[in-house]
DNA sequence: TATTGTTATACTCTATAACTATA
DNA sequence: TATAGTTATAGAGTATAACAATA
């Protein structure tokens, strides 16, 4: 299962990056934006947990996204050590494009499969993600 | 689905790398060895398709594995442009350890799930992998 | 002419540890 | 003392294009 998992991840990520080549974003950028696409602000460590990278790695990615005006780093009310990552208006637009491309890829790839099969796959992915927490 | 896919991939890969830290292998090394573990020799491009990386990327990974005596690059009978990648005896042993750790992680993570659920997940992964071929 | 694999280059990702500011 | 995030460093992954050898 794990080998197939890696294969599917590579394939979908490459397909997405190719499709969104005009946006000039790295796979990590896509991942971060897609996670932020729901509009909920997040701290760096929370976003790191969501995208699966460490804060130290995220710093560089966020630097790039901030420089391009897609996110802002704001003070976190209540804990001045924390940083609140939020999409700008332009970032929200870009993130929506990323999500749309993801949804479209998913729709195209999984069109023939019944809902129970999709639900089962989500359960397996969740189990693998939680395995070592 | 795609975000969950990436999350699961990150989580399992980090867990595996941590568990096999004594082998001092990178995630890409693990992936290559796990794919070669069945003992079937492969060309560089074939292995690249299996692990999801391009030949140019694979060159560096194979250099490292060859330097450490885990694989050999042999002439391909019938096409002298091709290179046949094969595990050495030591490589086969290491690859077996990698596979064992993968199987164990899978067993532990997916213990509670019925076979139909696992089969459904494999179908979804295959569909995502094939989406853009 | 096309294909296999390698090389070269430039950029990105990653882990780790040290550091600052805050709790 | 512990935590949030950044910085610094070194190694690894990646895409792309150019190249030699072979088909």
């Amino acid at each position: 299962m794990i080998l197939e998992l890696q294969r599917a991840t590579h394939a979908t990520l490459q397909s997405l990056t190719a499709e969104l080549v005009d946006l000039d974003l790295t796979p990590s950028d896509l991942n971060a934006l897609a996670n932020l696409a729901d509009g909920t602000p997040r701290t760096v460590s929370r976003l790191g947990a969501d995208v699966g990278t460490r804060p130290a790695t995220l710093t560089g990615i966020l630097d790039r996204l901030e420089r391009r005006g897609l996110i802002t780093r704001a003070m976190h009310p209540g804990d001045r050590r924390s940083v609140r990552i939020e999409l700008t208006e332009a970032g929200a637009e870009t993130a929506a494009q990323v999500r749309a491309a993801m949804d479209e890829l998913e729709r195209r790839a999984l069109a023939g499969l019944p809902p129970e099969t999709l639900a089962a796959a989500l359960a397996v992915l969740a189990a693998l993600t939680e395995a070592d927490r």
Side-chain angles (χ1 to χ4, degrees), chain A:
Chain A
M1 175 78 71
I2 293 179
L3 292 179
E4 285 82 358
L5 184 70
Q6 294 191 43
R7 231 167 271 155
T9 301
H10 269 122
T12 52
L13 215 48
Q14 281 178 13
S15 168
L16 268 181
T17 307
E19 193 168 338
L20 296 172
V21 66
D22 291 346
L23 296 179
D24 190 29
L25 297 166
T26 69
S28 289
D29 294 340
L30 295 179
N31 198 2
L33 288 176
N35 273 281
L36 288 166
D38 64 7
T40 309
R42 285 161 173 80
T43 64
V44 172
S45 32
R46 179 56 211 274
L47 182 59
D50 289 346
V51 304
T53 68
R54 288 150 204 257
T57 303
L58 216 40
T59 295
I61 297 166
L62 295 175
D63 283 350
R64 203 167 42 236
L65 294 175
E66 190 178 27
R67 210 180 317 125
R68 298 179 52 167
L70 301 177
I71 63 152
T72 55
R73 283 194 248 227
M75 220 184 54
H76 194 283
D79 187 341
R80 291 197 299 178
R81 293 172 305 181
S82 288
V83 170
R84 189 152 85 162
I85 307 298
E86 203 159 355
L87 290 172
T88 63
E89 202 172 323
E93 245 174 72
T94 304
Q97 278 184 265
V98 174
R99 286 305 298 249
M102 272 191 185
D103 293 347
E104 166 63 15
L105 169 60
E106 226 173 284
R107 202 194 53 67
R108 189 157 20 97
L110 307 179
L113 301 173
E116 314 87 73
T117 299
L118 304 183
L122 284 173
V124 166
L125 294 178
L128 288 170
T129 302
E130 295 304 319
D132 294 79
R133 292 294 165 82

